[in-house]
Amino acid sequence: MDQMAIADRRNLRRKLSFWRIVALVFLVGIGFALYRTAFGEGAGSAVPHVARIEISGLITDDKELLERLERIAESDRAKALVVSISSPGGTTYGGERIFKAIRKVAEKKPVVSDIRTLAASAGYMIATAGDQIVAGESSITGSIGVIFQYPQVDEVMKKVGVSLEEIKSAPLKAEPSPFHPASEEAKTMIRNMVMDSYAWFVDLVADRRKLPRDEVLKLADGAIFTGRQALTAKLVDKLGGDEDIRVYLESRGVSKDLPVVDWKERNSSSSFWLASMLGQFVKQTGLGEAIAPDMLRIFGADKLFLDGLVSVWQVGRG
């Protein structure tokens, strides 16, 4: 074989290698686009559909969720909204903001609250934003109330020989403090704040469920209910699941032939794809729930990270 033929063959190999790389990049791009279309936020939102969001875990002031709800409210393609709730509650302020955002959606299209395993405290507060509340027969809901908790470390400090001196502008400044027992004046201040937020919660339930306030007060002692009990108490509208939700939406003029599209939380930028994948892995495998909360609870930090008043039901805690 002469030198010219060898050179031509090498050039051909280079060209083939180049086009193979181009084809591979093209296929990866197509695959990524298909993934985003199939599983990304608002997948299928280019066609008329029923939007669905999931609210799970501790409820906080979630800016991303609020923005997502606003986009659903403005979307002409989203003909209705299903809010799937699996939460023990969280901060009253976080619940309040999400409640109001869902009500803004309800001003433009039907909204159904879908109570799954648990929707208690602020979780139930959010559920009342729906035009219809559907719950499972054995779902847990209720726990209408507000709580304010703070740790006490003064005894530990005494044992290690550490003291804290304070100079304050007024006795109620920075009260209650974890470094000394609260005074009666401080307890009264916090109690008044809790009861004011509690009264707002009760009024909200009475208004949304069209119940007399006195009747709601009887239910608002922090008690939890199964779905069956909640139906009897008129805290939910229907026992059932997806089929019952579609029947209700159909009664509101939303075709049951429309697909249900999950409007998911936006992922991190693709520049941080590895971190995003790891985050998704932790979330999908439940490692985050299994590890982080337990580590935090050892130090009571799960409550320290919930700013403000809390409306939350916790298993195995008084």
Side-chain angles (χ1 to χ4, degrees), residues 115 124 127 132-136 141 209 226-239:
I115 294 180
Y124 178 70
Q132 179 92 342
I133 302 179
V134 178
T141 189
R209 300 305 303 164
T226 64
R228 287 160 53 90
Q229 292 172 323
L231 181 65
T232 301
K234 301 179 181 178
L235 293 178
V236 303
D237 298 295
K238 182 77 174 177
L239 298 180

Side-chain angles (χ1 to χ4, degrees), residues 73-88:
E74 298 300 324
S75 173
D76 294 332
R77 298 295 184 178
K79 303 302 181 182
L81 171 64
V82 176
V83 182
S84 181
I85 308 169
S86 295
S87 170

Side-chain angles (χ1 to χ4, degrees), residues 16-68:
L16 287 174
S17 298
F18 171 77
W19 286 111
R20 283 171 181 164
I21 294 172
V22 169
L24 180 60
V25 171
F26 179 76
L27 289 173
V28 169
I30 291 294
F32 181 75
L34 290 174
Y35 173 83
R36 294 288 294 178
T37 301
F39 303 105
E41 176 207 342
S45 59
V47 298
H49 64 279
V50 174
R52 179 169 58 194
I53 63 169
E54 180 180 339
I55 298 176
S56 60
L58 286 174
I59 293 166
T60 58
D61 183 13
D62 190 334
K63 182 178 179 181
E64 188 281 329
L65 175 58
L66 296 175
E67 291 175 349
R68 207 178 339 152

Side-chain angles (χ1 to χ4, degrees), residues 231-251:
L231 181 65
T232 301
K234 301 179 181 178
L235 293 178
V236 303
D237 298 295
K238 182 77 174 177
L239 298 180
D242 294 338
E243 290 185 8
D244 301 277
I245 291 172
R246 296 310 292 261
V247 168
Y248 171 77
L249 291 178
E250 190 174 19
S251 73

